[in-house]
Amino acid sequence: MPTTNPVTAIPAADGASALAHFRAELQFETDCSDVSSAFAGGTPGFVLLDVRSPTLFAQGHVPGAVNLPHGKIVESKLASYPMDTIFVTYCAGPHCNGATRGAIRLAQLGRPVKVMRGGITGWLDERFPLVGSDDGQGKFSLSSTTPC
């Protein structure tokens, strides 16, 4: 006898539909672990964009990231990158939509783009290091009051 609850009230997709959905999801997103692994390999094949403010970037950012706030993503800032350069955007974390805003701007400029799920919050949750300023004890204090 099936049980109805908030999870089962809407039936799960069939296997083929689920496969298409989840494969498509990975065309738009990546995660912190995959980004870290790509950088560890030495040739990631993408540009990692920290789309937060320069202040937050200086406080702590993913090693190898380039700072370009989402509101400043314009073609002239991307001129040195070939049109087929893949960009991966990130911001403060799942509570922030800066990475999505940056991805939209890149897509509007015809650039291939993915979002790194989790942002700085996810990066720290995975226990990956940040580079930038710290509190002198090796701990980063990222301001939650400064907008991304």
Side-chain angles (χ1 to χ4, degrees):
M1 178 184 273
T3 302
T4 301
N5 59 49
V7 173
T8 62
I10 298 172
D14 63 85
S17 297
L19 180 60
H21 170 81
F22 293 119
R23 279 189 175 159
E25 211 173 78
L26 293 178
Q27 292 179 308
F28 303 102
E29 300 175 346
T30 189
D31 65 19
C32 300
S33 180
D34 288 345
V35 168
S36 176
S37 177
F39 273 104
T43 52
F46 58 87
V47 174
L48 184 62
L49 284 186
D50 183 319
V51 300
R52 300 173 304 144
S53 71
T55 301
L56 288 177
F57 182 80
Q59 286 179 0
H61 59 273
V62 175
V66 174
N67 185 225
L68 183 56
H70 60 79
K72 302 205 182 274
I73 296 174
V74 294
E75 189 57 49
S76 62
K77 301 269 185 178
L78 305 174
S80 63
Y81 299 104
M83 285 300 291
D84 63 348
T85 300
I86 298 170
F87 291 91
V88 175
T89 62
Y90 76 87
C91 60
H95 57 282
C96 174
N97 65 12
T100 300
R101 290 176 183 272
I104 288 169
R105 292 185 75 114
L106 287 158
Q108 287 172 328
L109 295 170
R111 301 301 189 121
V113 61
K114 292 185 177 194
V115 169
M116 183 178 82
R117 293 177 101 179
I120 289 289
T121 301
W123 191 263
L124 292 172
D125 284 350
E126 296 280 341
R127 302 196 185 281
F128 297 131
L130 295 176
V131 294
S133 301
D134 66 34
D135 67 359
Q137 300 173 21
K139 295 181 181 177
F140 288 88
S141 174
L142 300 177
S143 170
S144 61
T145 59
T146 307
C148 61

